[in-house]
Amino acid sequence: MNIPDWLRWGLAAFAAFQLLGAYSALRKVRAETGARRTDAKLNLADGLACATMFTGLAAGQVVVAACGLAVQGPVLLTQLIRWYRARSEPAPDSPSRPADDTSDSLA
């Protein structure tokens, strides 16, 4: 695979930034508990898989990049499902108003 040198250095820089993000996620994995810890673990896996993909592309190794992408796909899908479920469900600590509550009406 012929990749120009300037693009290789750019991909290597992207991989370095992803590793910094993975380090930040690792610190959150150690500090958080419960659902936030699961989110931090998914962010860690996403960062490491993306760094693997960029490193494989920078080195010209398509197989390594494909392995990173194969891991990153399910991680991103899981993050999307968790985001959608959290968005559609009401928060447990916020009380929901009953449908027949008319305290805001002007009557």
Side-chain angles (χ1 to χ4, degrees):
M1 185 160 83
N2 288 333
I3 297 177
D5 285 340
W6 62 270
L7 186 57
R8 286 182 192 264
W9 284 106
L11 290 169
F14 286 145
F17 284 128
Q18 288 297 322
L19 285 176
L20 289 175
Y23 177 72
S24 172
L26 180 63
R27 291 189 329 189
K28 289 180 183 178
V29 165
R30 292 179 179 174
E32 300 291 344
T33 59
R36 289 186 179 183
R37 185 177 181 128
T38 303
D39 288 336
K41 286 179 183 180
L42 288 170
N43 287 337
L44 176 65
D46 180 30
L48 292 175
C50 193
T52 302
M53 183 184 67
F54 282 139
T55 303
L57 287 174
Q61 298 293 324
V62 179
V63 174
V64 174
C67 288
L69 192 60
V71 172
Q72 192 175 17
V75 169
L76 290 176
L77 181 65
T78 305
Q79 285 179 333
L80 179 67
I81 290 170
R82 288 178 58 83
W83 173 80
Y84 183 73
R85 284 185 180 173
R87 185 173 164 249
S88 63
E89 295 175 359
D93 58 342
S94 65
S96 60
R97 246 182 359 190
D100 60 348
D101 185 12
T102 57
S103 62
D104 290 340
S105 66
L106 297 175

